[in-house]
Protein backbone atom coordinates (compact mmCIF):
# COMPACT_ATOMS: atom_id res chain seq x y z
CA UNK A 1 0.00 0.00 0.00
CA UNK A 2 1.20 3.45 -0.87
CA UNK A 3 1.57 5.75 2.10
CA UNK A 4 -0.18 9.07 1.72
CA UNK A 5 1.61 12.09 3.12
CA UNK A 6 -0.72 14.51 4.86
CA UNK A 7 0.22 18.15 4.49
CA UNK A 8 -0.70 20.87 6.95
CA UNK A 9 -0.56 24.66 6.83
CA UNK A 10 0.96 26.73 9.62
CA UNK A 11 -0.41 30.28 9.83
CA UNK A 12 1.45 32.80 11.99
CA UNK A 13 -0.50 35.95 12.85
CA UNK A 14 1.85 38.89 13.12
CA UNK A 15 0.53 42.43 13.29
CA UNK A 16 0.46 44.24 9.94
CA UNK A 17 2.68 47.26 9.96
CA UNK A 18 4.63 46.48 6.79
CA UNK A 19 4.18 47.54 3.18
CA UNK A 20 2.16 44.48 2.09
CA UNK A 21 -1.23 45.70 3.27
CA UNK A 22 -0.63 49.45 3.22
CA UNK A 23 -1.85 50.01 -0.39
CA UNK A 24 -5.02 47.97 0.16
CA UNK A 25 -5.85 49.87 3.34
CA UNK A 26 -5.43 53.15 1.45
CA UNK A 27 -7.51 51.99 -1.53
CA UNK A 28 -10.34 50.80 0.72
CA UNK A 29 -10.24 53.86 2.98
CA UNK A 30 -13.80 54.98 3.68
CA UNK A 31 -15.22 51.77 2.19
CA UNK A 32 -13.92 48.95 4.35
CA UNK A 33 -11.75 48.62 7.43
CA UNK A 34 -9.30 45.75 8.01
CA UNK A 35 -8.23 44.06 11.23
CA UNK A 36 -4.46 44.54 11.49
CA UNK A 37 -3.56 43.20 14.95
CA UNK A 38 -2.32 39.61 14.90
CA UNK A 39 -4.32 38.69 18.01
CA UNK A 40 -7.58 39.95 16.47
CA UNK A 41 -7.00 38.15 13.20
CA UNK A 42 -6.17 34.86 14.93
CA UNK A 43 -9.33 35.12 17.04
CA UNK A 44 -11.44 35.75 13.94
CA UNK A 45 -9.84 32.92 12.00
CA UNK A 46 -10.47 30.42 14.80
CA UNK A 47 -13.96 31.57 15.84
CA UNK A 48 -15.43 31.89 12.33
CA UNK A 49 -13.80 28.65 11.18
CA UNK A 50 -15.41 26.75 14.05
CA UNK A 51 -18.76 28.49 13.55
CA UNK A 52 -18.96 27.86 9.80
CA UNK A 53 -17.78 24.27 10.20
CA UNK A 54 -20.52 23.62 12.77
CA UNK A 55 -23.07 24.75 10.17
CA UNK A 56 -21.73 22.52 7.40
CA UNK A 57 -19.71 25.12 5.47
CA UNK A 58 -16.44 23.66 4.15
CA UNK A 59 -13.41 25.22 5.83
CA UNK A 60 -9.98 23.76 6.67
CA UNK A 61 -9.95 21.56 9.77
CA UNK A 62 -8.02 23.17 12.64
CA UNK A 63 -5.43 20.78 14.05
CA UNK A 64 -3.81 23.02 16.66
CA UNK A 65 -4.04 26.61 17.88
CA UNK A 66 -1.55 28.49 20.06
CA UNK A 67 -2.71 31.97 21.16
CA UNK A 68 0.61 32.70 22.88
CA UNK A 69 2.64 31.93 19.74
CA UNK A 70 -0.16 33.37 17.61
CA UNK A 71 -0.29 30.45 15.23
CA UNK A 72 -2.85 28.01 13.89
CA UNK A 73 -2.12 24.69 12.22
CA UNK A 74 -4.75 23.68 9.65
CA UNK A 75 -5.17 20.85 7.19
CA UNK A 76 -3.99 21.52 3.65
CA UNK A 77 -6.93 21.50 1.24
CA UNK A 78 -6.27 19.51 -1.90
CA UNK A 79 -7.98 20.88 -4.99
CA UNK A 80 -8.01 23.76 -7.42
CA UNK A 81 -7.83 27.44 -6.54
CA UNK A 82 -10.71 29.57 -7.81
CA UNK A 83 -8.03 31.84 -9.30
CA UNK A 84 -6.93 28.96 -11.53
CA UNK A 85 -10.52 28.29 -12.58
CA UNK A 86 -11.18 31.94 -13.42
CA UNK A 87 -7.92 32.20 -15.38
CA UNK A 88 -8.95 29.07 -17.28
CA UNK A 89 -12.32 30.64 -18.12
CA UNK A 90 -10.67 33.89 -19.22
CA UNK A 91 -8.16 32.15 -21.49
CA UNK A 92 -10.70 29.90 -23.23
CA UNK A 93 -12.60 30.71 -26.43
CA UNK A 94 -15.40 28.33 -25.47
CA UNK A 95 -18.26 28.60 -23.01
CA UNK A 96 -17.30 25.93 -20.49
CA UNK A 97 -20.48 25.07 -18.59
CA UNK A 98 -18.57 22.93 -16.11
CA UNK A 99 -16.33 25.83 -15.08
CA UNK A 100 -19.22 28.29 -14.94
CA UNK A 101 -21.12 25.86 -12.70
CA UNK A 102 -18.25 26.27 -10.20
CA UNK A 103 -18.79 30.05 -10.24
CA UNK A 104 -22.51 29.49 -9.57
CA UNK A 105 -21.59 27.21 -6.70
CA UNK A 106 -19.38 29.95 -5.22
CA UNK A 107 -22.38 32.30 -5.32
CA UNK A 108 -24.51 29.65 -3.61
CA UNK A 109 -21.97 29.05 -0.85
CA UNK A 110 -21.41 32.74 -0.17
CA UNK A 111 -25.19 33.17 0.10
CA UNK A 112 -25.12 30.33 2.62
CA UNK A 113 -22.39 32.04 4.67
CA UNK A 114 -24.29 35.34 4.56
CA UNK A 115 -27.47 33.61 5.74
CA UNK A 116 -25.54 32.76 8.92
CA UNK A 117 -24.89 36.52 9.39
CA UNK A 118 -21.20 36.15 8.57
CA UNK A 119 -19.15 38.20 6.12
CA UNK A 120 -15.91 36.69 4.80
CA UNK A 121 -14.02 39.98 4.64
CA UNK A 122 -11.30 38.84 2.23
CA UNK A 123 -13.32 37.25 -0.55
CA UNK A 124 -10.73 37.07 -3.33
CA UNK A 125 -10.88 33.99 -5.61
CA UNK A 126 -7.46 32.91 -4.31
CA UNK A 127 -9.01 32.43 -0.85
CA UNK A 128 -11.34 29.72 -2.13
CA UNK A 129 -10.63 26.23 -3.37
CA UNK A 130 -12.65 23.65 -5.28
CA UNK A 131 -11.96 20.42 -3.41
CA UNK A 132 -11.53 17.06 -5.09
CA UNK A 133 -15.08 16.09 -4.17
CA UNK A 134 -16.55 19.25 -5.67
CA UNK A 135 -17.04 21.41 -2.58
CA UNK A 136 -16.14 25.09 -2.25
CA UNK A 137 -13.76 25.54 0.67
CA UNK A 138 -13.16 28.97 2.20
CA UNK A 139 -9.58 29.74 3.25
CA UNK A 140 -8.06 32.66 5.17
CA UNK A 141 -10.88 33.74 7.46
CA UNK A 142 -8.83 36.24 9.44
CA UNK A 143 -10.93 39.17 8.16
CA UNK A 144 -14.25 37.31 8.58
CA UNK A 145 -16.73 38.43 11.23
CA UNK A 146 -20.29 38.17 12.45
CA UNK A 147 -22.35 40.80 10.70
CA UNK A 148 -19.88 42.89 8.73
CA UNK A 149 -20.17 44.12 5.16
CA UNK A 150 -21.64 41.35 3.01
CA UNK A 151 -21.79 43.59 -0.08
CA UNK A 152 -18.00 43.90 0.11
CA UNK A 153 -17.68 40.10 -0.24
CA UNK A 154 -19.65 40.20 -3.50
CA UNK A 155 -17.87 43.28 -4.85
CA UNK A 156 -14.43 41.87 -4.07
CA UNK A 157 -15.10 38.49 -5.66
CA UNK A 158 -16.62 39.92 -8.85
CA UNK A 159 -14.33 42.91 -9.44
CA UNK A 160 -11.22 40.99 -8.46
CA UNK A 161 -12.23 38.22 -10.88
CA UNK A 162 -12.61 40.90 -13.55
CA UNK A 163 -8.93 41.71 -13.14
CA UNK A 164 -8.08 38.41 -14.86
CA UNK A 165 -10.43 39.15 -17.78
CA UNK A 166 -8.65 42.29 -19.02
CA UNK A 167 -7.56 40.53 -22.24
CA UNK A 168 -10.78 38.53 -22.67
CA UNK A 169 -13.91 39.22 -24.71
CA UNK A 170 -16.55 41.23 -22.82
CA UNK A 171 -18.80 38.17 -22.59
CA UNK A 172 -16.32 36.51 -20.17
CA UNK A 173 -16.68 38.91 -17.18
CA UNK A 174 -20.39 39.18 -18.04
CA UNK A 175 -20.82 35.39 -17.84
CA UNK A 176 -18.82 35.19 -14.61
CA UNK A 177 -21.02 37.85 -13.00
CA UNK A 178 -24.24 36.26 -14.32
CA UNK A 179 -23.41 32.83 -12.97
CA UNK A 180 -22.22 34.13 -9.59
CA UNK A 181 -25.25 36.38 -9.04
CA UNK A 182 -27.64 33.68 -10.25
CA UNK A 183 -26.21 31.20 -7.73
CA UNK A 184 -26.28 33.81 -4.96
CA UNK A 185 -29.86 34.92 -5.51
CA UNK A 186 -31.31 31.47 -6.19
CA UNK A 187 -29.81 30.30 -2.88
CA UNK A 188 -31.55 33.02 -0.92
CA UNK A 189 -28.83 35.65 -0.94
CA UNK A 190 -29.98 39.17 -0.10
CA UNK A 191 -30.59 41.14 -3.32
CA UNK A 192 -29.74 44.33 -1.42
CA UNK A 193 -26.13 43.10 -1.20
CA UNK A 194 -25.97 42.85 -5.00
CA UNK A 195 -27.42 46.34 -5.30
CA UNK A 196 -24.82 47.78 -2.93
CA UNK A 197 -21.94 45.91 -4.58
CA UNK A 198 -22.47 47.75 -7.87
CA UNK A 199 -22.28 51.20 -6.27
CA UNK A 200 -19.33 53.60 -6.93
CA UNK A 201 -18.32 53.20 -3.29
CA UNK A 202 -17.04 49.69 -4.04
CA UNK A 203 -16.11 50.10 -7.70
CA UNK A 204 -13.58 52.84 -6.90
CA UNK A 205 -11.57 50.48 -4.68
CA UNK A 206 -10.95 48.03 -7.51
CA UNK A 207 -10.44 50.61 -10.27
CA UNK A 208 -6.71 50.50 -9.52
CA UNK A 209 -6.27 47.04 -11.02
CA UNK A 210 -9.45 46.17 -12.97
CA UNK A 211 -10.09 48.08 -16.25
CA UNK A 212 -13.04 50.53 -16.18
CA UNK A 213 -14.94 48.85 -19.04
CA UNK A 214 -14.87 45.51 -17.18
CA UNK A 215 -16.03 47.13 -13.94
CA UNK A 216 -18.90 48.66 -15.92
CA UNK A 217 -19.85 45.33 -17.51
CA UNK A 218 -19.90 43.57 -14.11
CA UNK A 219 -21.95 46.31 -12.42
CA UNK A 220 -24.37 46.45 -15.37
CA UNK A 221 -24.76 42.66 -15.30
CA UNK A 222 -25.62 42.83 -11.59
CA UNK A 223 -28.38 45.34 -12.42
CA UNK A 224 -29.80 43.10 -15.16
CA UNK A 225 -29.69 40.00 -12.95
CA UNK A 226 -31.64 41.82 -10.24
CA UNK A 227 -34.25 42.83 -12.82
CA UNK A 228 -34.48 39.21 -13.94
CA UNK A 229 -35.02 38.10 -10.35
CA UNK A 230 -37.83 40.65 -9.87
CA UNK A 231 -39.55 39.41 -13.04
CA UNK A 232 -39.20 35.82 -11.82
CA UNK A 233 -40.71 36.72 -8.43
CA UNK A 234 -43.67 38.49 -10.07
CA UNK A 235 -44.39 35.44 -12.22
CA UNK A 236 -44.34 33.24 -9.13
CA UNK A 237 -46.83 35.54 -7.37
CA UNK A 238 -49.21 35.38 -10.34
Amino acid sequence: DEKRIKRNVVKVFKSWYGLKWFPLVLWALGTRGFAVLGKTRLEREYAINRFLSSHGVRVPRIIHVSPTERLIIQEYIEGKSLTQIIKQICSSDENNDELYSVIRKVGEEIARVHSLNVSLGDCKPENMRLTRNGQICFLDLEQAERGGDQAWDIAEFLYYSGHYAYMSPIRIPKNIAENFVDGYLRSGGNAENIKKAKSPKYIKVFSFFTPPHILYVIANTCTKMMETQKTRQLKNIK
Side-chain angles (χ1 to χ4, degrees):
D1 294 339
E2 293 184 4
K3 292 183 178 179
R4 294 191 64 185
I5 298 174
K6 288 188 177 181
R7 292 190 285 176
N8 295 323
V9 175
V10 178
K11 293 190 66 176
V12 181
F13 294 82
K14 295 180 179 179
S15 295
W16 289 337
Y17 295 109
L19 295 175
K20 177 185 174 183
W21 286 92
F22 186 65
L24 183 58
V25 171
L26 280 182
W27 291 338
L29 194 64
T31 302
R32 160 140 181 86
F34 291 91
V36 297
L37 295 177
K39 180 176 180 290
T40 303
R41 287 164 36 239
L42 182 148
E43 288 170 351
R44 288 187 178 190
E45 177 94 29
Y46 180 81
I48 299 298
N49 179 296
R50 296 289 79 224
F51 178 75
L52 292 180
S53 179
S54 70
H55 285 83
V57 177
R58 185 70 170 94
V59 290
R61 182 171 59 89
I62 292 177
I63 298 165
H64 175 71
V65 58
S66 173
T68 53
E69 296 176 290
R70 292 188 182 173
L71 65 81
I72 288 178
I73 301 175
Q74 300 176 341
E75 67 170 325
Y76 175 81
I77 302 297
E78 300 283 352
K80 203 169 187 179
S81 167
L82 257 294
T83 299
Q84 291 177 273
I85 290 170
I86 289 169
K87 284 181 177 179
Q88 196 174 337
I89 289 172
C90 293
S91 63
S92 175
D93 292 330
E94 301 176 2
N95 283 327
N96 193 317
D97 291 339
E98 185 179 347
L99 294 180
Y100 280 121
S101 71
V102 176
I103 303 299
R104 278 196 303 276
K105 195 171 185 64
V106 171
E108 291 168 4
E109 288 301 301
I110 290 178
R112 188 178 174 195
V113 170
H114 287 176
S115 73
L116 297 170
N117 193 32
V118 169
S119 59
L120 293 164
D122 193 3
C123 206
K124 299 190 295 290
E126 66 191 65
N127 289 338
M128 301 170 201
R129 186 154 291 177
L130 179 67
T131 67
R132 289 180 172 177
N133 62 352
Q135 292 179 299
I136 301 297
C137 182
F138 295 105
L139 315 174
D140 291 334
L141 299 170
E142 58 194 66
Q143 295 297 330
E145 59 184 324
R146 299 286 189 96
D149 189 349
Q150 296 182 355
W152 168 268
D153 288 350
I154 294 164
E156 185 175 18
F157 180 83
L158 289 177
Y159 299 136
Y160 210 97
S161 297
H163 165 73
Y164 299 107
Y166 72 100
M167 293 289 286
S168 305
I170 289 300
R171 62 177 171 80
I172 299 294
K174 178 177 177 290
N175 288 344
I176 289 172
E178 280 182 352
N179 281 277
F180 175 88
V181 175
D182 184 60
Y184 185 83
L185 293 177
R186 284 182 183 271
S187 294
N190 188 347
E192 191 64 25
N193 290 331
I194 303 294
K195 183 179 178 181
K196 288 179 182 176
K198 64 188 184 67
S199 72
K201 173 184 174 182
Y202 296 98
I203 291 173
K204 69 174 184 178
V205 177
F206 300 95
S207 63
F208 289 90
F209 46 88
T210 301
H213 68 286
I214 292 178
L215 293 172
Y216 172 79
V217 166
I218 293 170
N220 193 45
T221 302
C222 287
T223 299
K224 290 180 178 178
M225 292 298 292
M226 288 178 66
E227 291 171 355
T228 301
Q229 191 210 30
K230 284 180 183 177
T231 303
R232 190 186 299 146
Q233 288 173 340
L234 287 172
K235 286 181 179 179
N236 290 337
I237 291 171
K238 292 176 181 179

